[in-house]
Amino acid sequence: MMGLLVLCVFAAVLNYISASTEVCTNTLLPGAKGDQGEIGEEGAQGKLGKDGPPGLPGVPGETGLKGAVGHTGKMGPSGDKGDKGDTGLDGPSGLKGKPGTTCDCGRYRKVVGQLDVNVSKLRNAVKFVKNVILGLKETEERYYLLVKDPKRFREASMNCKLRGGSLAMPKTSNTNRLMADYVSQAGLTRVYIGVQAQSKDAGGTSSYVYADSSPLQGFASWSPDDDLHIHTNSTCVELLSTGTWGHVECEATMFFICEFPKSRRRGGGRGTPGLAAS
């Protein structure tokens, strides 16, 4: 009875396997390992691979021969001053010199003393000529001369140039005050100075410069009654004895002041300009 049951189960399983379409009937099982084949021919050379990591440093080579001398370089900076060396040995004595002449020192002292007196007198005389006869005024840098010869502005400017100077330019309040006092002490009221209109803008306002073409910077002494913004043909400038400036026609004739730079001469003295009598 049990054998019959087993046979029935085996028949059913065999029937199921034979009826399935998913059973692989082409399965190959690996065979036994074959004999080693012959070595083939050497293949073509492959492409170069990437550089490998650097190797260890090699053994230093032998020292090469000394090279040729190179070009001379630029001179370097001066070094620090060295220590003072030892004193050298005394040299041999020189030959005996010729005897000198006898000096009359008292006589020369008297001559030098008289020269000092004469120089002092000469300085006083020059000062007298400058301040009294010529009537010069001076500052540390310049001489000023009031010329009492009425001329138009252009003629006055040329006259100062012929004397070796230029029309006076009061560029500081101190210089302006000195020149105004100069005019007042001479009994005058107004003189030409080295200031003149250079150009006018669209509104008719004039631009003024000094006789040396430098602009009015830092100082000007216009009269409060003199309006600079009105249209006027008075392009020249006068200095009043009060110290103020005013406009004036350039064709007007009046006295004027010239200025001269002080020049240094050999020996430390100051040179006086060649001033003709006014």
Side-chain angles (χ1 to χ4, degrees), residues 1-273:
M1 185 67 176
M2 184 59 68
L4 179 62
L5 181 59
V6 173
L7 180 63
C8 290
V9 172
F10 179 79
V13 172
L14 182 62
N15 184 39
Y16 176 78
I17 293 175
S18 61
S20 177
T21 59
E22 296 179 357
V23 177
C24 180
T25 58
N26 296 324
T27 302
L28 297 178
L29 298 175
K33 185 177 180 180
D35 299 332
Q36 183 176 357
E38 297 180 358
I39 298 175
E41 297 179 357
E42 184 177 357
Q45 184 176 0
K47 297 181 180 179
L48 293 177
K50 296 181 179 181
D51 292 339
L56 298 175
V59 179
E62 297 179 358
T63 304
L65 299 177
K66 186 176 180 180
V69 178
H71 297 291
T72 303
K74 295 182 180 179
M75 182 178 294
S78 300
D80 298 333
K81 186 176 181 181
D83 297 333
K84 185 176 180 180
D86 298 331
T87 303
L89 301 175
D90 294 336
S93 301
L95 300 176
K96 186 176 182 179
K98 297 179 180 179
T101 57
T102 303
C103 174
D104 188 359
C105 297
R107 174 187 173 188
Y108 286 113
R109 288 195 188 97
K110 184 177 181 180
V111 172
V112 172
Q114 187 61 42
L115 286 176
D116 290 339
V117 173
N118 293 341
V119 169
S120 179
K121 290 181 178 179
L122 181 60
R123 288 176 178 171
N124 292 333
V126 170
K127 185 175 182 180
F128 176 80
V129 170
K130 290 190 300 181
N131 298 334
V132 180
I133 299 179
L134 295 178
L136 286 177
K137 300 294 182 181
E138 62 179 311
T139 62
E140 287 294 326
E141 298 179 352
R142 300 182 185 281
Y143 295 105
Y144 296 91
L145 173 67
L146 175 60
V147 181
K148 297 180 180 179
D149 184 12
K151 294 184 181 296
R152 291 176 291 185
F153 183 86
R154 185 180 296 273
E155 295 170 346
S157 178
M158 184 59 66
N159 186 279
C160 290
K161 289 182 180 179
L162 292 175
R163 294 171 184 265
S166 62
L167 275 174
M169 296 172 284
K171 295 186 177 182
T172 64
S173 58
N174 291 337
T175 303
N176 192 75
R177 185 71 263 165
L178 179 144
M179 293 170 59
D181 292 342
Y182 196 3
V183 174
S184 179
Q185 292 168 7
L188 304 175
T189 58
R190 62 191 66 222
V191 293
Y192 273 131
I193 57 175
V195 181
Q196 187 179 21
Q198 184 181 42
S199 60
K200 293 182 180 180
D201 57 21
T205 303
S206 299
S207 173
Y208 286 80
V209 295
Y210 287 109
D212 59 2
S213 299
S214 61
L216 302 184
Q217 293 182 350
F219 176 77
S221 186
W222 298 109
S223 171
D225 301 329
D226 217 356
D227 189 357
L228 297 179
H229 299 287
I230 63 175
H231 185 78
T232 175
N233 292 324
S234 300
T235 59
C236 292
V237 178
E238 61 182 0
L239 170 66
L240 306 180
S241 59
T242 59
T244 57
W245 300 356
H247 293 89
V248 66
E249 294 286 346
C250 297
E251 295 301 315
T253 57
M254 65 174 67
F255 299 156
F256 53 96
I257 297 179
C258 298
E259 72 173 41
F260 308 88
K262 288 183 177 180
S263 58
R264 294 279 185 178
R265 294 186 177 180
R266 291 183 180 178
R270 294 181 181 271
T272 305

